[in-house]
């Protein structure tokens, strides 16, 4: 809060009773005065005692005992009052009142003490009169010192005491007393001036402290705010999370942590540009802030990721319901000029303390649940459960086994044939990784590939598998190609792309016989990077296939904008290829392939009915258990030799 001070320079010098406009500053003044006022009263009492003592035999008792006794009594009462004062606990208005009261009391005390001293001059000789002069001079100087933080009162003392003293000395006509009075008056004026300057410096100090505090608070606010959305940022989120954990630790009070991630932010950013991306984030921030309330903290964690803390989550259903409402709010379209986009959003929710007690553990659990939503149920929020906890444990076991594995010895490639139904010949074999861990036994490839991606081993795993596949492919007849699966992380890494090119070159295999299979996830990760890598690979003659087509979430936009050679229709569609719906999906994809001049490959053909259905719809290439299961290269070569002699597979 910015302070306005009670005195301007002019006001300070001219006004006896100042205007107390800033209660905050008044409290600080009281604090400073409290340190000095008890000393002031002690000093007044001691000086009065000394003066009363020297005049005791000369003046009447009421002047040397009664009146000074009463005055000292008053001093003791006031000193005790100030002694017990607690400036921190008094209110602003009270401080203002007290300062006013103190200034007024100064008038009373000054008049009383100086009146008493002047009265005593009529008793005793020159020594006693000299004592009175010294009493007035030192007492007024001491008072001015003690009232540094209340200059108005210091001024009152100076005017009343020095005024009376000067008048008294001049009327006495005694040149020694006139000289003493003039001298003392001069000293006090200089002192009041010094005091005024000191007080102004005190006010400036208070002001700069207040300014520094204000700037500090502003900096703190900015350091905790995300500049694009205006929401609290990641730092603030984790500070709140730590505070919630500390507050909940003793009572085990439940709270919830949720993470939300936009489903289609990347494609929107890639397609419409960064300004549009920023607009989407701003609008997302605006919608999310509508959910921020007393017990709900919402922050932007970075990129298109947002965090929510639900402070009291005794009822899990309520937390889930809030998260689902957030997902729904983010599913409403956002308009970007003439177009509208629907970024959509998925969430992951973890509860304290069941999902974890430490900030990292809780955040990781919510992140895991989010990942689950993205994989299985986009657009919704997944609540982290025991089932997920078990999956994490199993994944950790795979990770540990993978890290300690002798990959070259434990991994091998199996090959599954792809058939050209027109010529009834095998055109390509797809390499599928097989890992037999001494600790865990057989681990399915999709599982260990996902773990390798997550623990940063995918680069070395991909290259090891590719080298094995390329070596095996050297044994294939020249008219059969090799299809190899890339992880979604591979294309995003220029080092991996360069290493792939080097491995192909080293193998001596004609690059035109190689197909690299990518999933839509690889493209969504970094569209521009993927586009560059694909162009580079194709320049060498390598073919590119889009794998598992139809399961992704990206628009057909990708297919149009990418230089592809093949599309593999996901095996999920084969189960009902004979039904109306399945048929229409397969036909649509095959039409698309035809329009774009791409080869369509139907995956997962298990029955002759499926085979004849896809062939009827115009699908030339097929793959599946019916044609051949994945097998070691030696078995495959044996099969090829046998097939050359036997009848070809046909519907
Ligand atoms: P994918 O690329 O879609 O591979 C086809 C999967 O379908 C293989 O599973 C294959 O055994 C299975 N499959 C083939 N025909 C049929 C069928 O008629 N019916 C059924 N139900 N399934 C069939 P697999 O070998 O378990 O591989 C699973 C996934 O793991 C692959 O899916 C691929 O995404 C990944 N993967 C496998 N090997 C590699 C690899 O070397 N590198 C990378 N990055 N991923 C790999
Ligand atoms: Ca594949
Ligand atoms: Ca596939």
């Amino acid at each position: 809060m910015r302070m306005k001070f009670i005195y301007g320079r002019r006001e300070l010098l001219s006004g006896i009773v100042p205007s107390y406009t800033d209660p905050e500053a008044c409290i600080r003044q009281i604090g400073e005065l409290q340190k000095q006022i008890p000393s002031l009263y002690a000093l007044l009492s001691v000086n009065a005692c000394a003066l009363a003592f020297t005049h005791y035999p000369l003046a009447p008792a009421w002047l040397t005992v009664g009146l000074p006794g009463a005055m000292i009594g008053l001093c003791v009462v006031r000193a005790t009052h100030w002694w017990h004062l607690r400036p921190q606990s008094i209110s602003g208005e009270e401080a203002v009142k007290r300062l006013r009261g103190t200034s007024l009391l100064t008038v009373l005390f000054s008049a009383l003490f100086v009146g008493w001293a002047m009265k005593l001059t009529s008793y005793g000789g020159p020594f006693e009169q000299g004592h009175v002069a010294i009493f007035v001079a030192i007492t007024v100087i001491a008072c001015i010192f003690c009232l540094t933080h209340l200059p108005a009162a210091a001024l009152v003392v100076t005017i009343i005491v020095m005024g009376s003293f000067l008048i008294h000395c001049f009327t006495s006509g005694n040149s020694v007393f006139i000289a003493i009075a003039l001298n003392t008056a001069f000293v006090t004026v200089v002192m009041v001036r010094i005091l005024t300057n000191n007080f102004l410096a005190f006010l400036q100090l208070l002001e700069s402290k207040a300014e520094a505090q204000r700037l500090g608070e502003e900096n703190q606010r900015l350091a905790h705010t995300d500049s694009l959305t205006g929401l609290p940022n990641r730092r603030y989120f984790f500070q709140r999370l730590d505070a919630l954990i500390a507050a909940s630790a003793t009572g085990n009070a439940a709270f919830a942590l949720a993470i939300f991630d936009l489903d289609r932010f990347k494609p929107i950013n890639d397609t419409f540009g960064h300004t549009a991306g920023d607009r989407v984030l701003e609008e997302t921030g605006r919608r999310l802030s509508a959910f921020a309330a007393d017990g709900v903290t919402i922050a932007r964690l970075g990129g298109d990721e947002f965090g929510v803390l639900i402070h009291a989550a005794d009822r899990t259903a309520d937390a889930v319901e809030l998260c689902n409402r957030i997902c729904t709010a983010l599913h409403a379209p956002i308009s970007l000029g003439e177009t509208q986009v629907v970024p959509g959003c998925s969430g992951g929710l973890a509860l304290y303390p069941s999902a974890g007690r430490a900030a990292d553990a809780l955040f990781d659990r919510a992140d895991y649940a989010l990942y689950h939503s993205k994989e299985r149920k986009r657009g919704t929020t997944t609540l982290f459960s025991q089932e997920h906890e078990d999956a994490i444990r199993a994944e950790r076991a795979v990770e540990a086994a993978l890290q300690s594995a002798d990959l070259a010895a434990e991994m091998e490639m199996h090959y599954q044939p792809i058939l050209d139904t027109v010529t009834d010949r095998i055109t390509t074999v797809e390499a599928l990784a097989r890992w037999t861990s001494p600790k865990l036994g057989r681990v399915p490839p999709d599982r260990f590939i996902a773990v390798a991606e997550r623990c940063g081993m995918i680069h070395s795993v991909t290259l090891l598998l590719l080298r094995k596949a390329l070596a095996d492919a050297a044994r294939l007849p020249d008219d059969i190609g090799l299809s190899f699966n890339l992880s979604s992380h591979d294309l995003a890494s220029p080092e991996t792309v360069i290493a792939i090119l080097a491995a192909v070159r080293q193998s001596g295999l004609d690059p035109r016989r190689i197909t690299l299979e990518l999933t839509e996830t690889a493209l969504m990760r970094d569209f521009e990077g993927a586009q560059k890598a694909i162009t580079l690979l194709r320049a060498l003659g390598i073919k590119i296939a889009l794998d598992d087509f139809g399961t992704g979430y990206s628009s057909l936009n990708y297919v149009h904008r990418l230089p592809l050679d093949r599309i593999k229709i996901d095996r999920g569609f084969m189960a009902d290829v004979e039904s109306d719906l399945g048929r229409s999906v397969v036909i649509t994809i095959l039409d698309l392939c035809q329009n774009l001049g791409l080869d369509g490959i139907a995956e997962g053909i298990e029955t002759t009915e499926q085979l004849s259905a896809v062939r009827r719809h115009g699908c030339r290439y097929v793959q599946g258990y019916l044609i051949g299961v994945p097998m070691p290269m030696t078995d495959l070569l044996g099969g090829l030799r046998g097939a050359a002699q036997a009848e070809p597979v046909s519907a």
Side-chain angles (χ1 to χ4, degrees):
M1 188 183 128
R2 210 188 153 87
M3 290 186 178
K4 272 215 218 107
F5 293 96
I6 63 170
Y7 308 109
R9 185 184 276 266
R10 271 173 50 210
E11 203 181 351
L12 183 79
L13 294 171
S14 61
I16 291 202
V17 179
S19 55
Y20 302 90
T21 54
D22 185 3
E24 193 102 346
C26 291
I27 296 176
R28 302 291 290 272
Q29 275 177 276
I30 298 254
E32 294 301 319
L33 283 172
Q34 196 202 18
K35 295 178 198 158
Q36 278 133 19
I37 285 199
S39 320
L40 169 65
Y41 284 120
L43 196 138
L44 277 177
S45 306
V46 170
N47 289 5
C49 279
L51 196 61
F53 175 73
T54 52
H55 286 77
Y56 183 65
L58 308 165
W62 71 272
L63 263 182
T64 53
V65 180
L67 188 58
M71 289 182 336
I72 290 169
L74 257 179
C75 285
V76 172
V77 170
R78 291 299 301 162
T80 322
H81 171 79
W82 275 91
W83 188 265
H84 290 299
L85 202 67
R86 291 281 158 268
Q88 323 76 280
S89 59
I90 59 174
S91 70
E93 291 96 82
E94 213 181 323
V96 172
K97 254 197 229 153
R98 274 177 199 281
L99 287 186
R100 269 207 191 111
T102 306
S103 295
L104 288 175
L105 262 182
T106 318
V107 177
L108 174 74
F109 271 84
S110 305
L112 208 56
F113 273 81
V114 79
W116 174 64
M118 294 304 100
K119 183 80 190 142
L120 284 180
T121 50
S122 24
Y123 304 93
F127 282 123
E128 284 75 21
Q129 285 173 355
H131 188 183
V132 171
I134 287 174
F135 169 81
V136 171
I138 59 167
T139 309
V140 80
I141 289 171
C143 288
I144 291 171
F145 258 119
C146 293
L147 291 169
T148 310
H149 290 95
L150 193 55
L155 216 59
V156 167
V157 172
T158 309
I159 292 167
I160 295 180
V161 176
M162 287 321 298
S164 319
F165 189 47
L166 276 172
I167 292 169
H168 183 82
C169 292
F170 272 100
T171 48
S172 75
N174 184 323
S175 56
V176 176
F177 285 122
I178 293 173
I180 291 176
L182 282 175
N183 205 339
T184 315
F186 178 69
V187 171
T188 51
V189 166
V190 170
M191 283 191 54
V192 167
R193 200 178 145 62
I194 293 172
L195 172 150
T196 311
N197 287 340
N198 282 351
F199 185 68
L200 282 175
F202 166 74
L203 292 186
Q204 265 160 13
L205 184 75
L206 281 191
E207 190 160 17
S208 35
K209 264 192 187 166
E211 181 66 5
Q213 191 181 348
R214 195 187 58 77
L215 285 176
E217 282 165 6
E218 179 65 7
N219 275 348
Q220 185 84 343
R221 196 187 62 76
L222 287 178
H224 284 152
T225 306
D226 170 58
S227 55
L228 184 65
T229 59
L231 286 175
N233 62 12
R234 189 180 186 90
R235 184 186 301 178
Y236 179 80
F237 182 82
F238 280 99
Q239 275 180 12
R240 286 298 298 137
L241 175 58
D242 287 339
L244 268 178
I245 289 177
S248 306
T250 40
N252 261 350
F255 72 88
L257 184 159
I259 309 175
F260 292 92
D261 189 283
L262 299 184
D263 291 335
R264 281 171 291 270
F265 180 68
K266 188 131 188 57
I268 292 171
N269 220 9
D270 288 343
T271 314
F272 299 102
H274 294 293
T275 315
D278 283 356
R279 168 83 195 90
V280 167
L281 292 175
E282 278 165 11
E283 177 58 20
T284 305
R286 204 187 59 73
R287 289 184 193 176
L288 281 175
S289 57
F291 291 92
D294 235 5
V296 180
T297 303
I298 300 202
R300 179 176 172 214
L301 302 177
D304 58 342
E305 198 176 64
F306 297 85
V308 176
L309 291 171
I310 304 164
H311 301 198
D314 301 326
R315 281 168 40 91
T316 308
D318 291 347
V320 173
E321 202 256 338
L322 175 72
C323 292
N324 284 334
R325 276 197 286 130
I326 289 177
C327 282
T328 311
L330 297 183
H331 272 278
I334 294 176
S335 88
L336 299 173
E338 290 180 356
T339 42
Q340 280 199 330
V341 291
V342 183
C345 153
S346 305
L349 177 67
L351 299 178
Y352 176 95
S354 58
R357 287 181 170 276
D360 283 356
L362 205 57
F363 190 84
D364 286 351
R365 300 301 191 267
D367 199 36
Y368 188 91
L370 167 66
Y371 172 79
H372 212 263
S373 296
K374 291 267 179 197
E375 292 289 302
R376 313 260 170 96
K377 278 160 60 193
R378 284 199 167 214
T380 61
T381 300
T382 303
L383 173 67
F384 187 84
S385 66
Q386 185 56 43
E387 204 179 297
H388 298 130
E389 190 68 59
D390 298 341
I392 288 181
R393 212 159 286 147
E395 225 166 77
R396 287 214 186 111
V398 172
E399 187 179 326
L402 200 61
Q403 268 159 350
S404 63
D406 176 359
L407 295 181
E410 293 170 24
M411 288 200 179
E412 61 165 341
M413 298 309 277
H414 281 191
Y415 300 88
Q416 186 177 32
I418 297 172
L419 180 80
D420 177 346
T421 56
V422 172
T423 61
D424 257 340
R425 295 182 72 88
I426 302 300
T427 58
T428 315
V429 293
E430 178 177 358
L432 294 160
R434 296 292 176 258
W435 175 35
T436 313
S437 154
K439 289 182 196 142
L440 304 172
R442 282 206 151 209
V443 185
D446 30 14
R447 260 186 81 192
F448 72 76
I449 292 289
V451 172
E453 284 173 349
R454 227 167 292 152
C455 68
M457 287 177 70
I458 191 64
H459 173 86
S460 49
V461 170
T462 295
L463 286 167
L464 176 109
L465 298 175
L466 179 65
R467 287 198 191 99
K468 276 181 185 279
L470 288 168
D472 284 342
R475 298 166 64 198
L476 282 170
D478 286 349
D479 60 343
I480 297 185
L482 170 77
S483 207
F484 182 82
N485 293 285
L486 285 186
S487 136
S488 63
H489 290 239
D490 291 334
L491 274 201
S493 146
E495 295 84 52
T496 310
V497 175
I498 289 167
I500 290 171
L501 289 171
V504 169
R505 210 167 285 144
Q506 267 170 16
S507 74
L509 199 73
D510 183 350
R512 286 170 302 180
R513 286 176 62 197
I514 301 172
T515 304
L516 293 176
E517 300 192 6
L518 311 172
T519 56
E520 281 176 86
T521 337
L523 309 176
M524 283 179 79
R525 200 170 283 279
D526 172 12
F527 185 80
E528 279 164 27
Q531 206 171 22
K532 277 193 200 126
I534 290 173
T535 311
L536 191 67
L537 293 164
R538 284 185 91 239
L540 222 81
I542 295 173
K543 293 188 184 63
I544 304 294
L546 194 53
D547 206 355
D548 305 341
F549 192 79
T551 54
Y553 299 90
S554 59
S555 61
L556 291 174
N557 202 6
Y558 279 124
V559 186
H560 289 281
R561 290 168 60 205
L562 279 174
L564 298 172
D565 301 281
R566 297 177 167 170
I567 282 183
K568 298 187 78 175
I569 308 167
D570 191 72
R571 66 169 186 266
F573 298 112
M574 298 311 145
D576 40 26
V577 70
E578 291 151 88
S579 76
D580 282 350
L581 182 70
R583 186 168 51 230
S584 62
V585 172
V586 173
I587 290 175
T588 308
I589 300 176
L590 287 169
D591 277 352
L592 178 81
C593 291
Q594 204 170 13
N595 291 339
L596 296 174
L598 309 176
D599 292 338
I601 303 170
E603 293 187 303
I605 300 294
E606 293 180 352
T607 63
T608 46
E609 289 76 21
Q610 287 168 348
L611 179 62
S612 48
V614 294
R615 283 187 70 176
R616 250 198 333 274
H617 304 323
C619 183
R620 178 168 175 176
Y621 301 97
V622 292
Q623 177 182 5
Y625 293 161
L626 180 72
I627 314 335
V629 295
M631 61 193 100
M633 185 53 90
T634 313
D635 298 358
L636 184 105
L637 293 172
L640 284 177
R641 265 179 247 114
Q645 290 146 21
E647 279 290 299
V649 180
S650 61

